Amino acid sequence: MAGENVFGRWSPAKKQRIRDSRVQGTRLLCDALAGLQHRPATLLAASAIGYYGDRGDEPVTEESAPGEDFLAHVARDWEAATAAATRAGIRVVNMRNGVVLTTTGGALAKMLPAFRLGLGGPVGSGNQYLSWIALGDIINAILHLLTKSDLVGPVNMTAPAPVTNREFAKALGKVLGRPAVVTVPAFALRMAFGTEGAAMLQSGQRVLPARLLASGFDFSFTEVELALRHLLAPSERAR
């Protein structure tokens, strides 16, 4: 929760804050936990699907290799920062979180104003994959991880049916009853976020929650349109 926001223009100073706020903060926490006389049994440590880098339409699971871009290196170091807790005998689960669907923050909240005006649409080519998860499902998955003492290491916190950015825009427009055809071109992204920030917004990962499914977790929402309808339809009727 203390991580520097990845949105914005990536100056060298911002990139350093993105990395340090995650890696150093996690390392400090894990060193402190390892030094306790009465240690917790389990640590659920945040990570991100950015670990996999830009993978096109390749399906990736927890067994897949890390990517090579900046955020992939950050995520790899972020997970490695939990080593002290593991050495101290604490069960560490590295939650590789996808895009959490909620109206109170994150990517969806940033999209809604434009989409409600009929000005939303795909970003760049729209072919990049968006690995999402409903807010209720990620909360239930966290509770699930606490009860599964045999789960250790990386766990993908995403729904089992990732969609392309274009498919997501179409589903969101449909739920809101608005057109969703206004493409955000690559050059506009570069102007707003710089070259590296624009590349992040146009990259994607087709992430599958293999370990969650294998452990018996039952998702409430596996289709993005149904998840969006559940989240947005009541508020849209009230508008």
Side-chain angles (χ1 to χ4, degrees), residues 74-228:
V74 168
R76 187 174 60 188
D77 293 345
W78 196 0
E79 293 184 8
T82 62
T86 299
R87 288 194 299 268
I90 299 170
R91 178 175 71 100
V92 176
V93 180
N94 302 106
M95 302 184 299
R96 292 177 181 166
N97 297 326
V99 176
V100 180
L101 299 186
T102 171
T103 59
T104 60
L108 180 59
K110 289 180 171 65
M111 296 178 192
L112 282 175
F115 273 82
R116 282 177 169 144
L117 291 172
L119 300 175
V123 173
S125 72
N127 295 326
Q128 66 274 30
Y129 268 84
L130 188 151
S131 295
W132 60 277
I133 185 169
L135 177 62
D137 275 336
I138 198 169
I139 292 171
N140 287 333
I142 289 169
L143 295 173
H144 177 82
L145 293 177
L146 288 172
T147 68
K148 293 291 181 177
S149 59
D150 57 331
L151 272 177
V152 178
V155 175
N156 292 335
M157 305 289 273
T158 60
V163 294
T164 65
N165 182 272
R166 186 175 303 279
E167 291 168 335
F168 184 86
K170 181 180 178 180
L172 181 55
K174 183 177 180 181
V175 169
L176 295 175
R178 299 288 190 275
V181 295
V182 181
T183 300
V184 182
F187 77 85
L189 294 173
R190 287 193 295 271
M191 290 177 62
F193 298 103
T195 301
E196 289 184 291
M200 176 197 72
L201 292 170
Q202 295 176 90
S203 68
Q205 304 86 22
R206 189 179 182 181
V207 180
L208 304 178
R211 298 192 72 197
L212 267 182
L213 292 172
S215 68
F217 181 72
D218 186 22
F219 286 87
S220 296
F221 295 100
T222 58
E223 296 181 24
V224 72
E225 182 181 330
L226 293 180
L228 290 169

